[in-house]
Amino acid sequence: MKQQQKFAIVNVNNNQLPIITEDTKTRQNWIPFGVYGHDDFFDAVTMTYNVSTTNSACIEGIADLIYGKGVYSKDEANNKTLQKLIPQEETKRVSFDLKLYGNAAYQVYWNDDHTKIVKMYHVPVQYLRAEKLFSHPKVQNYFYCTDWNDQKKIKEKKKIPAFGTSNEKMEILYIKHYTPNLYYYSLPDWVAAMQFAVSEGEISNLHLNNITNGFLPAVMLNFNNGVPAPEERETIEDLVQAKFTGTDNAGRFMLSFNDDPATKPTLDIIDIPNLHEKYDYVAEYTQDRILVAHRVTSPLLFGIRTKNNGFSSQSEEMKTAFSILQTMTIAPFQNIILNALDMALTEGGYDEMELYFEQLTPLVILSQTAEETGKTVAQVEDETNKSLENPATQEEPQDQTIQDGLVEEERFTMPTILSKEYEIFKS
């Protein structure tokens, strides 16, 4: 009689590609935004930022370039008013959110007559959810909650009108760009690299656990005490998978207790040649795909050194790469923010603000240009900033009643609706 043998193939963490959806059929009156789950988009994006070194370096570096040295008015007389209205740190946070999440938001505070904006603050966009559209063609309200995974806190959420839809003291100015198949939210420009960012994090986790637990080869585990029933076999498979698969379990050892040496489990080592080279290839490929998704023309701009830079010198690379990055990546982000601010300030009683971002240029580029032209670094920086000025592209903002700038006697007190949570966030 032939001895019966059965094999089982265990699927390990068979993750699907991210499917990003706005749940417009929800029974709730706000719109969940999900990737792998019902409303986990912002959590998933934050996770990829936290676990991937390349992704976090690109996001932080590009966000710094978007903000540059801050937002100013070409009219020096308006600058004092502008700095009172919008503290620079708030715009820096908005720039970061827009790069990381593809969405950003300001809290806009009005005077008592709702004729003039008196202050604008950043609000963490991951705390906001858009109200579902009913009879209106645009979002009328946003809901604010510091934890959308906590049902108790969701019950305590605050409803805040969208900018330009009410006469309330505070409104939300939501900033996003166009994304196909989405209406309420938008996506970060690097969204196609989410899986690669997770992969980079998993590679680091794998190496960490291998180092911590000791390096062990891949093995085939054979049980020599008969073929169990299907239900029992599935249970054994689940137990082995839970204990020994995944990067968290890399390098774990196993104990076996047996009544008879003849029935002891056997381990057959599966030799994978050049495994370290395969990991190196995956790591390099993952890093390259993340850089491509961020449209990084030269990793050197963000302190990332790769094998093949394609330039004869680092200074040549950085100068050319920065020019391309500024034009193709940074300027579009700045335009989104400037257009939103220009629209808000025009409707909020301020006209002809002529906003622009003062650019942040790498010192190596300024020094090289100064050496080539015989000018000082300060002169080159001033000329570079003027040449890269990126004013708002909104051609005809809506006409509003023109009022004088923010007077010195006006005093502003943040309403209590978000003050507690916001102060906690700022600290």
Side-chain angles (χ1 to χ4, degrees):
M1 180 177 180
K2 280 190 175 182
Q3 186 176 3
Q4 186 181 18
Q5 292 183 342
K6 291 191 177 181
F7 296 91
I9 298 176
V10 181
N11 292 321
V12 181
N13 294 331
N14 189 20
N15 293 331
Q16 295 180 345
L17 292 174
I19 301 175
I20 300 171
T21 57
E22 296 173 333
D23 186 5
T24 57
K25 297 181 180 179
T26 178
R27 292 179 295 177
Q28 309 292 345
N29 56 348
W30 70 87
I31 301 295
F33 196 25
V35 182
Y36 301 103
H38 180 60
D39 190 18
D40 66 343
F41 171 80
F42 292 102
D43 290 339
V45 170
T46 303
M47 183 270 293
T48 60
Y49 166 75
N50 289 333
V51 303
S52 171
T53 53
T54 305
N55 196 38
S56 63
C58 291
I59 289 170
E60 291 178 7
I62 293 177
D64 285 342
L65 289 176
I66 293 170
Y67 171 72
K69 296 182 179 179
V71 176
Y72 297 90
S73 171
K74 288 186 177 182
D75 186 348
E76 194 63 34
N78 288 330
N79 261 327
K80 188 176 181 180
T81 300
L82 181 64
Q83 303 314 313
K84 291 180 180 178
L85 283 172
I86 315 172
Q88 294 288 11
E89 183 64 24
E90 309 305 318
T91 300
K92 185 174 184 178
R93 292 176 176 178
V94 167
S95 301
F96 182 82
D97 279 358
L98 189 60
K99 175 58 186 174
L100 174 60
Y101 297 115
N103 302 262
Y106 281 100
Q107 306 170 53
V108 180
Y109 295 94
W110 295 82
N111 62 4
D112 293 336
D113 298 329
H114 201 85
T115 57
K116 197 174 195 177
I117 293 174
V118 295
K119 211 75 174 180
M120 293 178 67
Y121 285 113
H122 158 266
V123 58
V125 73
Q126 66 270 29
Y127 295 163
L128 298 175
R129 295 295 184 273
E131 184 182 43
K132 185 188 293 187
L133 289 176
F134 294 100
S135 58
H136 296 281
K138 64 176 290 187
V139 176
Q140 297 294 297
N141 298 282
Y142 288 93
F143 293 97
Y144 177 91
C145 176
T146 55
D147 188 354
W148 288 93
N149 297 312
D150 188 328
Q151 293 300 318
K152 182 179 179 181
K153 288 190 176 181
I154 290 177
K155 292 180 181 178
E156 300 171 354
K157 65 185 181 297
K158 298 175 176 64
K159 187 176 182 179
I160 309 167
F163 183 83
T165 64
S166 76
N167 289 317
E168 297 293 326
K169 180 87 172 177
M170 183 184 72
E171 295 178 326
I172 294 293
L173 176 63
Y174 202 92
I175 302 174
K176 64 186 182 71
H177 55 80
Y178 168 74
T179 300
N181 296 327
L182 295 179
Y183 181 82
Y184 296 90
Y185 310 100
S186 61
L187 300 178
D189 63 331
W190 57 272
V191 66
M194 283 188 66
Q195 291 286 79
F196 290 107
V198 174
S199 297
E200 191 173 65
E202 289 294 343
I203 289 172
S204 66
N205 196 32
L206 173 69
H207 290 319
L208 173 63
N209 283 284
N210 261 323
I211 292 170
T212 304
N213 298 322
F215 292 95
L216 290 178
V219 298
M220 175 179 285
L221 176 61
N222 300 287
F223 292 99
N224 301 314
N225 53 352
V227 179
E231 295 82 4
E232 185 180 355
R233 196 165 74 232
E234 289 180 5
T235 301
I236 295 172
E237 291 170 1
D238 291 340
L239 289 173
V240 172
Q241 179 177 347
K243 284 184 175 293
F244 299 103
T245 61
T247 57
D248 285 333
N249 297 317
R252 277 192 173 185
F253 65 89
M254 181 170 57
L255 294 175
S256 175
F257 303 94
N258 309 283
D259 293 326
D260 187 347
T263 61
K264 69 178 182 180
T266 59
L267 299 176
D268 295 327
I269 296 177
I270 302 173
D271 185 25
I272 304 176
N274 302 321
L275 184 59
H276 66 287
E277 294 180 1
K278 291 180 172 62
Y279 281 132
D280 287 344
Y281 169 77
V282 172
E284 289 177 9
Y285 181 73
T286 297
Q287 182 186 70
D288 178 72
R289 295 299 90 188
I290 295 172
L291 293 173
V292 169
H294 285 283
R295 293 177 290 175
V296 172
T297 46
S298 172
L300 282 176
L301 290 170
F302 306 108
I304 302 172
R305 182 70 179 178
T306 56
K307 290 183 178 179
N308 300 315
N309 293 309
F311 289 82
S312 59
S313 68
Q314 292 185 18
S315 59
E316 176 192 348
E317 173 180 352
M318 293 189 69
K319 191 172 182 179
T320 305
F322 179 74
S323 177
I324 298 172
L325 183 69
Q326 180 68 37
T327 304
M328 304 301 294
T329 302
I330 305 304
F333 275 105
Q334 292 177 335
N335 265 328
I336 293 172
I337 298 173
L338 291 175
N339 287 338
L341 290 177
D342 185 65
M343 178 274 296
L345 293 176
T346 300
E347 292 190 12
Y350 304 89
D351 196 18
E352 303 298 332
M353 292 296 286
E354 298 183 287
L355 305 178
Y356 71 95
F357 275 96
E358 186 169 332
Q359 308 299 331
L360 181 65
T361 308
L363 181 60
V364 64
I365 296 176
L366 296 175
S367 300
Q368 183 185 7
T369 305
E371 184 178 348
E372 293 172 352
T373 59
K375 300 177 181 178
T376 65
V377 172
Q379 289 174 325
V380 172
E381 183 177 24
D382 185 59
E383 292 176 358
T384 302
N385 283 333
K386 289 181 179 179
S387 67
L388 293 176
E389 277 182 3
N390 191 32
T393 57
Q394 181 174 289
E395 295 180 357
E396 295 181 359
Q398 298 178 12
D399 292 335
Q400 296 290 328
T401 303
I402 308 302
Q403 300 189 31
D404 294 333
L406 189 67
V407 296
E408 188 67 31
E409 289 74 22
E410 284 186 346
R411 294 292 181 264
F412 172 75
T413 303
M414 185 184 293
T416 57
I417 186 169
L418 291 185
S419 58
K420 183 177 180 181
E421 294 90 341
Y422 184 74
E423 290 303 321
I424 292 174
F425 175 79
K426 288 186 70 175
S427 64

